[in-house]
Amino acid sequence: EAQVEQSGTEVKRAGATVKISCKVSGYTFTDFYMHWVQQAPGKGLEWVGLVDPEDGDTRYSEKFQGRVAITADTSTDTVYMELNSLISEDTAVYYCATGSRHRYGLDSWGQGTLVTVAS
Amino acid sequence: IQLTQSPSFLSTSVGDRVTITCRASQDVASFLAWYQQKPGKAPKLLIYAASTLFSGVPSRFRGSGSGTEFTLTINSLQPEDFATYYCQELHSYSHSFGQGTKLEIK
């Protein structure tokens, strides 16, 4: 069974950049996509983007395109999400989750990383 | 693609059967998943490919539909089922989620 462990809480100033990580174990890292999902306080889920660890290919939501970069390090089985030009609306819990290449949904989720943007 | 769930809130009782609908603004074939989320926890996958039960999910959960209209049915609600439910399409580039349906105890 896949295990997904995320990095800890971040507090950043508006305009700064945050980079959070997601380390996986229990499966072959390159067998699955890794997705990131945003959840603002009291709000629903919003898909941010994904990376294919096999070749580094990425896809991003239009909302975050241009401000987000998702990368995968196959030497450490770790995925990173970097979000720049932070604004207060970026304050949220960010989840990483594995997803099959058959688009069967996001099946193993991390515990979430809280990012707080202070103005 | 936009996903619209209905209802947004549902007040219901243990033992009831509930149905949640997810409507897509465009055809997503069967690339539709359902998740359950409890406060302070990560979502959990319940159903994928519109109607396939994910491993370990109780059989009282059932998904159906294709194209633009989908339903999640929960038979004989249990106390642990009171949570928020989301649909997600994985057909398009946007992988959009619905806005969520919160089940509350009546």
Side-chain angles (χ1 to χ4, degrees):
Chain A
E1 184 179 330
Q3 302 291 326
V4 183
E5 187 70 26
Q6 296 187 224
S7 53
T9 298
E10 299 271 4
V11 179
K12 295 290 184 181
R13 292 284 192 188
T17 296
V18 69
K19 189 172 185 176
I20 57 180
S21 67
C22 177
K23 182 167 177 59
V24 303
S25 60
Y27 73 98
T28 302
F29 184 56
T30 53
D31 280 354
F32 294 89
Y33 296 146
M34 185 63 75
H35 299 249
W36 288 91
V37 175
Q38 179 198 59
Q39 188 167 39
K43 303 296 184 183
L45 304 173
E46 181 134 27
W47 186 75
V48 177
L50 67 81
V51 64
D52 181 349
E54 187 171 63
D55 59 10
D57 185 36
T58 54
R59 302 175 209 165
Y60 302 122
S61 162
E62 281 188 16
K63 175 180 176 179
F64 297 96
Q65 182 81 42
R67 282 206 305 135
V68 69
I70 300 175
T71 55
D73 182 346
T74 55
S75 68
T76 59
D77 291 356
T78 302
V79 173
Y80 299 91
M81 186 194 76
E82 186 172 84
L83 188 62
N84 60 43
S85 302
L86 290 169
I87 57 177
S88 58
E89 289 78 9
D90 295 324
T91 293
V93 173
Y94 292 84
Y95 294 101
C96 61
T98 61
S100 88
R101 296 177 179 280
H102 301 290
R103 294 181 278 170
Y104 286 164
L106 280 53
D107 50 33
S108 294
W109 293 67
Q111 79 276 23
T113 296
L114 174 62
V115 174
T116 301
V117 181
S119 54
Chain B
I1 294 178
Q2 293 187 354
L3 299 182
T4 303
Q5 290 181 229
S6 59
S8 295
F9 297 93
L10 190 55
S11 183
T12 186
S13 302
V14 172
D16 284 355
R17 180 170 68 183
V18 301
T19 298
I20 301 169
T21 298
C22 177
R23 289 188 173 87
S25 59
Q26 298 176 36
D27 187 345
V28 299
S30 293
F31 294 106
L32 195 288
W34 289 95
Y35 303 88
Q36 177 194 69
Q37 187 181 33
K38 295 182 180 179
K41 300 294 187 182
K44 292 183 178 180
L45 179 64
L46 299 174
I47 303 281
Y48 65 90
S51 61
T52 303
L53 206 62
F54 185 58
S55 175
V57 176
S59 59
R60 62 180 180 273
F61 291 91
R62 188 172 70 88
S64 63
S66 67
T68 61
E69 187 151 338
F70 302 85
T71 58
L72 172 69
T73 300
I74 312 172
N75 290 300
S76 188
L77 269 174
Q78 298 300 299
E80 61 268 28
D81 299 336
F82 290 93
T84 301
Y85 293 83
Y86 294 93
C87 56
Q88 183 196 22
E89 64 85 9
L90 295 107
H91 177 71
S92 79
Y93 201 87
S94 61
H95 284 30
S96 306
F97 286 93
Q99 83 278 14
T101 296
K102 186 175 183 179
L103 295 191
E104 297 178 328
I105 300 174
K106 188 181 292 183

